[in-house]
Amino acid sequence: MRTRGTIIIRGIVQGVGFRPFVYAKAHEYGMRGTVKNLGSEVEIAAWGDRFREFLDAVSHGTPLSRIDSVDVFDLAGEPPDSFTILESGTGSRSGFIPADVATCDACLADITTPGSRYEGYWATSCVNCGPRYSIITAIPYDRERTSMDVFPMCSPCEREYTDPACRRHHAQTIACSICGPHLALLNPGGTPVPCADPIRDAAALLDAGKILAIRGIGGFHIACIEESAAELKRRLGRTEQPLAVMATLGVTERIADVSEEERAQLTSRERPIVVLRKRDPESHASISNLHTIGVMLPYTGLHHLLFAALARPLLIMTSANMPGYPMITDLAQASGRLAGQVDYILTHNRPIVNRCDDSVVRDGYIIRLSRGFAPRRAAIDLGPRGILGVGPELNANITIYQNGFAVTSPHVGNVRNPPTLAYLQETVENIGEIIGARYDTIVHDLHPRFLSTRYARELAEATGAQLLAVQHHRAHIAAATREECIGIAIDGVGYGDDGTIWGGEIFAGRVPDYDRVAHLEVVPMPGGDLATRFPERMLYGIMPTEEIRDLLASRGWPELELGVLEKQVEKRFNVADTSSTGRLLDAASALLGLCRERTYDGEPAVKLESAAYRGRAAAWDLAFTGRDGREVFSTRSLLAEAYRRMQAGERVVDIAASVQYNLARGVAAMAVRAAEERGIGRVALSGGVAYNHAIREAIRQEILAAGLEYVINPDYPLGDGCISYGQVVCGGSLGE
Amino acid sequence: MKVNLMHGAGGEVMGELLATITNLKHNNAGGIGLESLDDGAVIPLNGQNIVFTTDSHVVSPIFFPGGDIGRIAVCGTVNDLAVMGGRPIALSCGMIIPEGFDVADLERIVASMDEALGECGANLVTGDTKVLERSALDGIVINTAGIGVAETVVRDNGLIVGDTIITSGTLGDHGIAIMAHREGFDFGGQIRSDVSPLWTLIEDALAAGDIHAMKDPTRGGFANAINEMAHKSGTGIVIEEEHLPIRKNVRSAAGMLGIDPLEVANEGKVLMGVAPGDAEAVLAALRSHPYGRDAAIIGTVVEGKSVVMRTAIGGERFIEPPVGDPVPRVC
Ligand SMILES: [Fe+3]
Ligand SMILES: [Mg+2]
Ligand SMILES: [Zn+2]
Ligand SMILES: [Zn+2]
């Protein structure tokens, strides 16, 4: 029977209350010895008769920890008199610190208990909750390596911090109203507004219809009540875009249908924005003109206190940024950039080290991998080399692989402008620094014009790393599975092997060798990206007929512009070719008159989906052709059928539903045929279009009906937030 | 590798071809040589700076609103001399004419060349003519070379942090005019090429202030030229979108086609980096010349290595050297 030993526990063991937990267990089992934090491992030296039980107990870890391995080594020497927590040392950095965590119930009770030391304190937290990633500058995770460094503990906080029996034993974020960060209510210019209680006053201002910038964990939100939604959208210049709201669970369930799983997500410690189906699709139209609404529950002490003081049931809470630019994290920027948009600023003085947007989840799939979920760490064996995936250009993040783990950053955004490119670089540097990364291989998208591609080239040149390009949709499939499969990538835009724009692709093979075996019909994009902004151009590109010309004319297209469009398509002047699924949905949305200009990401397609939600789909005849030995689904025929039915007076919502359904059938049919031809039993699905509930479900059913296995990876976004991970997976097989 | 059309379209792809073509050991006659890939070469001779350049012209169509191939052939060479600081003195002209070419057209072309020469005080003093079979050539090719003399040589790589960036006028006119005319687009009104010889304009500007760098934004347009200036100077540049002069009809036509007017050719414009204290004086000099009426201060030279545009709506974007064809990137 072992009565002494050194226990090494590796994994996410920092910032998760691991040492206090070990300390408590040592007391429980009468152990003597020490525990020490070594970066991403904890080293325990323990003496005692109940060593076995103690080992079992500590091997389970704390709620926030992730344990990769537990090893026991012999231990010599004499035991100390007691069990103590030692200062952190530096050690391996294979693990990682956990993401930010919503305020726990115990802390919430502290905040709301009259007479509690934490009563009404907005930044109350403990070992089980509070900010982590957003405040850390380096590991090991200790107070001096976080932005809490500037708030020395008062003596009651110090006592709790050092009391092994306390929930805040070694809680690095411990703070109270005496010693911790505090709130201030400011004018948009940054000057203080005299007030006794910033939260109470902010709540009153919100109730009165004012628009406030509110500094949260990973950045600023812009908040207002429902009645001010139109004004907010006007100020932001985003009149069509649905905005997320924050509400209590009770209010959420009145607004939307909430399934068991959705309730679990809403109340999880990650507290993402969950995209829910409204009970009445037409309700709350000033917030969202779709059949869905994004809702999150209060996740910080500040939010809880604000809601306690607020009369209205919900707040619109949208990230404070210009579309496509990083969320604002510091006060100087907020008071500079938000001057025309907000009436007041509710801020605090705890610096945000690492920006982190709210995560977004829909039907259990991650749309935006960020606060709470990220940095995401996955155990995966890609060999001994360090690999960096710099992601695509839109909805980008980065992934770093080393020593058996892939670490994916929070959402970075649209890497199309200098500030977001700088944020991408900063993310690579910060996370790379925290985990001590070095890159043998850097993987980028095949698109020659992506800024991330340029960045990858520069970084590879500077570091001597090997540079690899991976085609966008192959990265999608690699992110879905490493097994041999038929891969369906249904997506917006990705640069293809042949220089055309892909986005409705069927592959066959195993990472990284995916053959393109089938795709959607290749159609022109008149004016390139202009056709993405104005989906009616896409429509005319696909159906350059007199009827469509007349349709556009009847909608007010000037004759002159129609003439230019016509000639452009006829002469193929500044026209790109695409097999994109997103662009086909855009064209259908335009045909049905649902969207004429895209003012936010995916607008035409989500409006089509919202219309289809109200309609009933019918199976149409599908047309398939071939090109260069690959099967091609004729999207021209699909749109032509939709047009015929429109002319025949069929309901728009039914046509919308049928377009989606038959597109899904066409894509699935090609995948099933490819599976049968190649004797492959598994079909994987990825790409942003897979968020469309109706399309995803129809594809799934067709695949299952064919007796094939259906694979989707719910750990990463289906959209481009999985690309950096897929790049790294491909890089692991390609770069050898 | 075979040469393809992308290799002639300017931008990064053309750079690869240039590396092959300029792979010469004998490439510098003592001053600025081929290795600089500047607008022209400079040869110091008896205390004078002789500027020397050459250019071949194959524009289609050969006659277009605002000019023709003859005017371009003269202006292209004259302007390359002028942006080096060189007063154009003499030009040569080599014509390769396909069998069946209309002599009346030749007469028009030559008259137009003569007019452009007159505008800048240069002379065409020597020439060569070849006639080819129809099958060998589908249009006329005109090559001109020219010599000039520069009192002060101005490079394209002389930008200094703090310099003011000035354009001598509206951007994108020539490229959009040619496109419209060639493809038969009806934009509701005629768009005219800006093709003009710039020596007298530049002469006035040089007299008005300290110009650190100049370039004519021809092939690849403003986007290409401004990036080349920044890259060669080892600086960054910030451009204010709101200050960029672009004609309304050019903007609207480009907008209808999904083309960036900053990425198409100009044949009568010069970009300058000017000592900040002299910027207003240079601007005034430019504006008082008929070819510089729309001149504008459009940006500033900064530390860094990118050309960034502050957009009208308060954002920022990179101005990148164009590639030949559109490559959609919006997901
Ligand atoms: Fe994608
Ligand atoms: Mg030139
Ligand atoms: Zn807590
Ligand atoms: Zn305290």
Side-chain angles (χ1 to χ4, degrees), chain A residues 131-151:
Chain A
R132 296 287 188 277
Y133 172 71
S134 59
I135 59 165
I136 195 166
T137 52
I139 59 172
Y141 172 68
D142 273 319
R143 196 173 180 103
E144 64 263 32
R145 285 176 286 272
T146 72
S147 61
M148 289 301 291
D149 187 30
V150 293
F151 303 103

Side-chain angles (χ1 to χ4, degrees), chain A residues 325 393-394 416-417 447 449 458 493 495 527 529-530 537 560-561 564 567-568 571 573-574 576 583 598 720, chain B residues 179 183-188 255-259 305 314-316 318 320-321 323 326-331:
Chain A
Y325 288 77
E393 182 158 278
L394 302 189
R416 306 198 66 191
N417 49 63
H447 200 300
R449 306 285 284 163
E458 287 170 7
V493 158
Y495 192 83
D529 282 331
L530 198 63
R537 298 182 139 265
L560 188 78
E561 225 170 296
V564 172
K567 186 139 264 174
Q568 180 168 38
K571 297 225 161 187
F573 183 81
N574 200 41
R583 290 302 82 80
R598 164 174 147 145
D720 285 359
Chain B
M179 268 174 211
E183 308 293 337
F185 285 115
D186 174 9
F187 294 116
M256 281 188 239
L257 294 171
I259 284 175
K305 53 179 183 172
E316 287 176 28
F318 290 105
E320 293 173 284
V323 291
V327 193
R329 58 210 280 183
V330 175
C331 207

Side-chain angles (χ1 to χ4, degrees), chain B residues 114-126:
Chain B
D114 206 26
E115 187 187 328
L117 290 162
E119 279 182 49
C120 60
N123 290 280
L124 201 161
V125 294
T126 181

Side-chain angles (χ1 to χ4, degrees), chain A residues 392 472-473 476 490-494 687-688 718-720 723, chain B residues 331:
Chain A
H472 187 89
H473 301 102
H476 266 294
I490 42 176
D491 201 20
V493 158
L718 304 176
D720 285 359
I723 293 295
Chain B
C331 207

Side-chain angles (χ1 to χ4, degrees), chain B residues 214-232:
Chain B
M214 277 196 283
K215 194 158 195 71
D216 55 339
T218 52
R219 184 169 40 193
F222 173 78
N224 200 52
I226 199 75
N227 270 286
E228 231 178 289
M229 291 177 84
H231 179 72
K232 287 182 173 177

